[in-house]
Amino acid sequence: MSAESEDPRRRIPRTDTLLASPLLAGALARHARDHVLAAVHDAQDRARAGQVAPDAVAATAAALLTERAAPSGVLNATGVVLHTNLGRARLAPAAVDAVVTAAGSTDVELDLRTGTRTRRGRRTVDALLRAVPEAGGALVVNNGAAALALAAVALAGGREVLVSRGEMVEIGDGFRIPELVEATGVRLVEVGTTNRTRLGDYAAALTDRTAAILKVHPSNFRVEGFTSEATVSELATLGLPVVADTGSGLLRPDPLLPDEPDAAAALRAGAAVATCSGDKLLGGPQAGIVLGPAEVVERLRRHPLHRALRADKLTLAALAATLQAPRTPTYEDLHAPSSTLRERAERLRTLVDLPTAEVVPSAGRVGGGSAPGLDLPGWALRLPEPYAARLRRGRTPVVGRVEGGHTLLDVRCLPDDRLDVVAAAVRAVVAELGDADRPAEASELGEGAR
């Protein structure tokens, strides 16, 4: 036997051979040449390391291109409506169409009637002011943290802002409100205690360096028992601008979420600025929304930092369409009746046609830091635990949750017209596993809001 036949690495295809293979022949038309070559070289390196068989190099390179090309579209079967790891809010169809339209040339800063430059994102601003008439002005930046940072630096740059100790929160991925605000050059002064902060605590901390008061709605946790806090209306009596970070994106109250503050109420109570996120309860794209009196919002708009934080044309288009939509997927998912969800789960079970699949009660969550502790009664399809990992790795990833040694596919956030796709994914796993009692390979996807 020759040395060449003994060493399988000598059978690894050449680069030009791989590029001409059926699996990669059209790759250069869809991807930049450097990206295609990088995938091919990575696949060859894996074959040299013995991780991939020589005859699987082309398939491995094709899989790497697909994996690296763009984020995967995922079906959310976790029961968490605003799942941070899955991109939070699903956009309404009208918002998706608006993004596609805006991806070309668009009149983001052009008045088509006069042919002259106009205020950026005016349609989005107008839609916000119609939704919250209590505001005289509106501004959109690239996320909720940016909205808060801009408000802090524009209203109190180089000076002090008062904030309750109970509102010195961490907002996710290790980022903390105090560090965010102080990074703008503002000095935070803590008042009160973790569980009780009164108006008098703020009043006692006022000095000639105090420029504003920050009111932050806690996310992801609740403080119960012996508690108290000063309201926005009380804080407004101290004569300084109150920045109310309402957080979760409610522009107006929702009876389902009585403990979530809304921007309109904050402004009526006397807040100088109300900020919130666009991709949470509002159901739109990632964005930070600033609302307040026209002169205050203009002060933020003219601050140099605004240029670095402003929203792009796709965000502005999606947000305007979201505000004009009669209902968003987020609203529909949150308010879906239990009876509707049970019917959906039974329909999925019928499509799956698997004896071991059962329809069981499931407690969903709002997610995204909103309404912590609130259960959303619903229904799920229960499958053996090994299905979870394989469903995530399918052609169309289906992300459920593992609970009590089972995979649960909660149907709350699964559109009716995608149930057949979910069922096909489950049947593919059945064909792959054969024995549904094999041990699981992985646990559920982690999600802080869950």
Side-chain angles (χ1 to χ4, degrees), residues 58-83:
T60 300
L64 288 171
L65 276 173
T66 300
E67 178 183 317
R68 297 168 180 176
S72 298
V74 169
L75 289 172
N76 178 7
T78 66
V80 181
V81 177
L82 300 172
H83 200 303

Side-chain angles (χ1 to χ4, degrees), residues 177-448:
I177 290 293
E179 295 167 357
L180 171 71
V181 174
E182 290 180 340
T184 68
V186 171
R187 179 174 178 267
L188 280 181
V189 176
E190 301 176 37
V191 301
T193 63
T194 302
N195 60 318
R196 292 177 71 83
T197 304
R198 304 176 180 85
L199 180 63
D201 295 318
Y202 292 90
L206 292 175
T207 70
D208 57 2
R209 289 189 53 77
T210 309
I213 299 171
L214 176 59
K215 179 70 177 170
V216 180
H217 178 61
S219 296
N220 284 325
F221 72 96
R222 294 182 301 180
V223 179
E224 298 179 336
F226 189 60
T227 64
S228 66
E229 63 177 302
T231 65
V232 170
S233 58
E234 290 174 333
L235 296 174
T237 65
L238 297 177
L240 291 173
V242 177
V243 178
D245 176 21
T246 60
S248 294
L250 277 184
L251 299 184
R252 310 205 74 81
D254 185 333
L256 179 67
L257 309 166
D259 296 328
E260 289 294 313
D262 63 276
L267 294 174
R268 286 197 303 272
V273 170
T275 67
C276 65
S277 297
D279 58 347
K280 295 183 180 179
L281 295 174
L282 182 58
Q286 176 180 298
I289 297 170
V290 179
L291 297 162
E295 64 276 12
V296 177
V297 173
E298 180 64 11
R299 185 173 168 183
L300 272 63
R301 192 186 75 83
R302 299 303 304 172
H303 193 279
L305 186 61
H306 171 237
R307 178 73 181 190
L309 302 178
R310 71 179 188 175
D312 73 311
K313 63 179 182 178
L314 304 183
T315 298
L316 292 169
L319 183 55
T322 297
L323 290 163
Q324 296 171 47
R327 290 282 189 272
T328 65
T330 297
Y331 183 92
E332 298 289 355
D333 291 347
L334 286 174
H335 294 82
S338 179
S339 58
T340 298
L341 296 176
R342 182 163 193 173
E343 291 173 4
R344 189 179 298 168
E346 293 287 359
R347 200 154 59 248
L348 178 59
R349 185 182 64 82
T350 300
L351 290 169
V352 166
D353 192 23
L354 181 65
T356 56
E358 296 180 78
V359 172
V360 296
S362 176
R365 294 288 179 88
V366 178
S370 308
L374 176 66
D375 285 343
L376 301 174
W379 296 85
L381 189 68
R382 187 169 70 187
L383 300 166
E385 185 173 351
Y387 282 52
R390 287 172 168 80
L391 285 169
R392 290 199 305 271
R393 298 197 302 261
R395 177 171 295 182
T396 299
V398 179
V399 182
R401 69 179 193 268
V402 173
E403 189 174 285
H406 298 278
T407 295
L408 295 185
L409 300 184
D410 190 305
V411 299
R412 178 175 295 277
C413 304
L414 294 177
D416 286 324
D417 61 0
R418 302 290 279 169
L419 293 182
D420 58 337
V421 177
V422 178
V426 173
R427 290 195 298 269
V429 173
V430 172
E432 178 187 353
L433 273 176
D435 179 5
D437 293 324
R438 287 183 185 177
E441 293 185 358
S443 59
E444 68 178 304
L445 182 70
E447 212 307 280

